[in-house]
Amino acid sequence: MAAYRVEERGALNSVDYRLFFKNDKGQYISPFHDIPTYADADKHIFNMVVEIPRWTNAKMEIATKDVLNPIKQDVKKGKLRYVANVFPHKGYIWNYGAIPQTWEDPMHKDENTNCCGDNDPIDVCEIGDKVCNRGDIIQVKVLGTLALIDEGETDWKIIAINIKDPEAANMNNIDDVRRIKPGYLEATVDWFRRYKVPDGKPENQFAFNGEFKDRDFAIDTIKSTHNHWSALIIKKADAGEICCTNTTLKDSPFCCSQNAAAATVTALPPCGTCNQLPAEVDRWYFCR
């Protein structure tokens, strides 16, 4: 299994913070484009880029519009974005991240949800026991999916488990989650429904009346988003503001040299002292 490393630039909890990725050769890569979707295609094992460790609040994400797509903190109206603690939840209730080399095409209307994609890699909620680190690349088994409709866009949430988790061998489909981790799926729907309410927004909606689809449906959804990404990376789909710069895909017109990649990273501020979290991050919200 390929080993990946990360390199921090800027100060954590600041708008300058970036987390860049390197492969096992020490080469800069894009976590969006250069890490394979599959860790083991025959066994349906997928790679997952961990953006947000469980129980944390900072809305970290692969920067799809930045060169090399580092992880950075989302900014809204000039302020760093943190998700609210909506009782009884504290921050994110799973390790949250994305499957690389996938793309929810904003020009493609999903036949199941009747909404177009959200222009991001497909999201993953990893439900294992271990709290991962930001930037970890883990291998996961897919168990099912939830179809969030976020401001009119399809935003699939893949439910998966780290293959190294003690319960991984006992989990093969979405019903296994209900059996082994009772209440977790219901909490997941509740979290996604209400997490924007403290910001003054309405509750989120879901396709399929908030019901989870099974493993095979989820895998087909990942395959579809991988196909959309495949068109994106060879310029057969309109990238818009998406940055497709990569360092390993030689057939892609967006492939760049290591010198150019290194210049992108070193032009940014070096890693600095972590800034203190704002006090309001620990506030509890109770939604009626």
Side-chain angles (χ1 to χ4, degrees):
M1 196 69 65
Y4 297 96
R5 291 179 281 165
V6 291
E7 180 178 322
E8 293 180 300
R9 307 293 291 190
L12 187 61
N13 304 324
S14 80
V15 295
D16 294 328
Y17 180 79
R18 299 291 186 275
L19 189 67
F20 288 93
F21 287 74
K22 289 181 175 181
N23 61 17
D24 55 357
K25 299 177 183 176
Q27 299 170 324
Y28 288 109
I29 58 169
S30 159
F32 187 1
H33 304 303
D34 289 306
I35 298 173
T37 298
Y38 286 97
D40 188 330
D42 291 338
K43 295 181 179 179
H44 297 296
I45 304 298
F46 296 87
N47 284 311
M48 172 185 172
V49 181
V50 177
E51 298 165 312
I52 307 169
R54 186 192 295 121
W55 311 136
T56 63
N57 300 74
K59 180 67 175 72
M60 296 288 185
E61 59 188 12
I62 291 173
T64 58
K65 299 175 184 178
D66 290 9
V67 177
L68 295 180
N69 314 115
I71 288 177
K72 70 175 183 180
Q73 190 165 353
D74 190 20
V75 176
K76 287 287 179 71
K77 298 180 179 179
K79 293 183 66 177
L80 292 171
R81 185 177 170 196
Y82 298 89
V83 297
N85 302 306
V86 180
F87 184 83
H89 310 303
K90 171 65 178 78
Y92 286 76
I93 62 172
W94 345 257
N95 295 303
Y96 191 76
I99 295 179
Q101 295 187 348
T102 63
W103 178 53
E104 297 191 66
D105 186 349
M107 302 304 294
H108 173 76
K109 182 174 284 189
D110 189 282
E111 62 182 11
N112 294 293
T113 66
N114 205 35
C115 294
C116 294
D118 71 348
N119 206 30
D120 283 328
I122 200 166
D123 296 322
V124 187
C125 302
E126 192 280 316
I127 65 170
D129 289 346
K130 180 183 177 181
V131 177
C132 293
N133 298 308
R134 184 185 308 111
D136 281 353
I137 309 299
I138 62 173
Q139 288 68 54
V140 299
K141 291 172 66 173
V142 167
L143 305 172
T145 189
L146 179 70
L148 178 67
I149 306 301
D150 190 353
E151 299 182 14
E153 298 175 331
T154 303
D155 190 4
W156 292 103
K157 306 298 181 184
I158 301 295
I159 307 302
I161 188 165
N162 190 331
I163 62 171
K164 294 182 179 179
D165 190 85
E167 291 286 5
N170 300 318
M171 288 198 184
N172 297 293
N173 214 324
I174 199 69
D175 288 338
D176 294 325
V177 183
R178 292 190 177 92
R179 177 174 56 86
I180 296 172
K181 294 179 180 281
Y184 209 170
L185 295 182
E186 292 79 3
T188 293
V189 173
D190 183 65
W191 195 98
F192 281 118
R193 188 188 305 281
R194 300 191 297 157
Y195 81 101
K196 290 185 178 180
V197 171
D199 296 329
K201 294 186 177 181
E203 291 186 349
N204 278 322
Q205 303 300 310
F206 305 90
F208 315 116
N209 295 316
E211 293 296 320
F212 288 82
K213 306 301 281 186
D214 66 11
R215 167 188 177 271
D216 290 343
F217 187 102
I219 289 174
D220 286 343
T221 301
I222 295 169
K223 288 178 178 177
S224 176
T225 59
H226 175 69
N227 290 337
H228 292 150
W229 171 85
S230 296
L232 177 76
I233 205 66
I234 59 172
K235 243 178 181 176
K236 284 191 175 180
D238 181 12
E241 294 183 318
I242 295 285
C243 182
C244 294
T245 299
N246 63 85
T247 64
T248 65
L249 306 173
K250 302 305 180 185
D251 292 334
S252 168
F254 303 104
C255 190
C256 79
S257 69
Q258 277 300 305
N259 285 341
T264 295
V265 177
T266 56
L268 298 176
C271 182
T273 303
C274 174
N275 291 347
Q276 190 171 5
L277 282 171
E280 60 265 25
V281 171
D282 289 327
R283 180 181 173 186
W284 287 95
Y285 292 86
F286 294 82
C287 296
R288 293 180 175 85

